[in-house]
Amino acid sequence: MRKYIYNVVIILFVLQMSHVQVFANYEKQNIATANSIETLQQQIQNEVLQLSTEFDIRYTGNISDLKDQLTELIKHAITDPYIYANISSFKWKYDGYANNIVIQFQFTYHISQEEEAFVEQTLTTIVGSMHGLSKLEKIQAAHDYIVLTSEYSKDSVGSQYSPYTLLTEHKGVCQAYALVLYRMLEML
């Protein structure tokens, strides 16, 4: 009986220490914390707007049914249609315990931060040359620029869906055409 109690105490001690270690690992990480669905969505949006590929968010709110809702919650968190269309895929996983989990996100985009900077700079230059035109003429000029300099093609080195590929290789599919036009119209 004494040996049995000793073994139980050892097992409980080991379990308790492993829990402390897990807790310590979560507490060491310097990551953003959200305590509500709205805050979580805002932090996801902020990371995605920066085209972050991997990031963690600690969630301390109510986690009941969170796993079942997280994919839809992520989709609704990304309110910028340009960025949303540039997401190729995403996945998530979480670890922790009741009302204190760390969610790890991985996003893949059709465009990198550097490529997006190039798109922004290139389109700013193109739109800048439209100064003095009426709104209708600017829209027509944006349309004409895209169709006259690009070819509809799935055969590209970069992502066929990317505005960067459309501007550098002059090849892409309708999504790339639409994203370039969308960005240009935002700048007009």
Side-chain angles (χ1 to χ4, degrees):
M1 178 70 167
R2 200 173 207 186
K3 193 173 187 178
Y4 175 75
I5 292 174
Y6 177 76
N7 286 337
V8 168
V9 169
I10 294 295
I11 289 170
L12 288 174
F13 178 75
V14 169
L15 289 173
Q16 179 64 28
M17 291 309 293
S18 66
H19 177 71
V20 169
Q21 182 61 35
V22 168
F23 180 73
N25 284 342
Y26 284 118
E27 294 305 318
K28 277 194 237 176
Q29 296 178 6
N30 186 18
I31 59 175
T33 300
N35 59 7
S36 68
I37 295 294
E38 294 78 20
T39 307
L40 178 62
Q41 287 180 309
Q42 184 59 50
Q43 290 178 353
I44 293 168
Q45 170 82 350
N46 292 343
E47 292 289 340
V48 170
L49 285 174
Q50 297 174 43
L51 299 174
S52 300
T53 56
E54 294 184 4
F55 57 94
D56 298 341
I57 299 173
R58 178 187 320 282
Y59 183 68
T60 58
N62 184 356
I63 63 168
S64 63
D65 300 327
L66 184 67
K67 182 178 179 181
D68 298 332
Q69 300 172 3
L70 197 50
T71 298
E72 286 303 313
L73 183 140
I74 293 167
K75 289 178 183 178
H76 293 302
I78 304 162
T79 58
D80 184 316
Y82 177 81
I83 295 296
Y84 188 85
N86 270 303
I87 296 172
S88 174
S89 66
F90 68 87
K91 60 184 177 179
W92 54 267
K93 65 180 180 177
Y94 67 84
D95 196 11
Y97 48 92
N99 300 339
N100 189 9
I101 61 173
V102 174
I103 309 169
Q104 297 173 321
F105 298 91
Q106 289 183 318
F107 280 78
T108 306
Y109 302 93
H110 296 295
I111 195 166
S112 69
Q113 290 174 337
E114 296 79 20
E115 291 169 344
E116 178 56 28
F118 174 84
V119 168
E120 191 77 21
Q121 181 181 6
T122 302
L123 294 181
T124 299
T125 303
I126 293 166
V127 169
S129 67
M130 297 176 191
H131 181 71
L133 299 177
S134 71
K135 282 189 176 191
L136 182 60
E137 290 171 327
K138 287 178 182 178
I139 294 169
Q140 183 66 49
H143 167 271
D144 290 349
Y145 173 81
I146 294 168
V147 267
L148 295 175
T149 62
S150 305
E151 142 187 16
Y152 186 92
S153 176
K154 294 180 181 181
D155 185 29
S156 59
V157 175
S159 171
Q160 62 192 7
Y161 306 104
S162 169
Y164 176 80
T165 303
L166 190 73
L167 293 172
T168 56
E169 297 179 37
H170 305 286
K171 294 179 181 180
V173 296
C174 51
Q175 180 172 331
Y177 278 67
L179 290 172
V180 169
L181 182 61
Y182 180 87
R183 197 49 124 198
M184 289 175 87
L185 293 177
E186 278 186 326
M187 295 176 175
L188 293 177

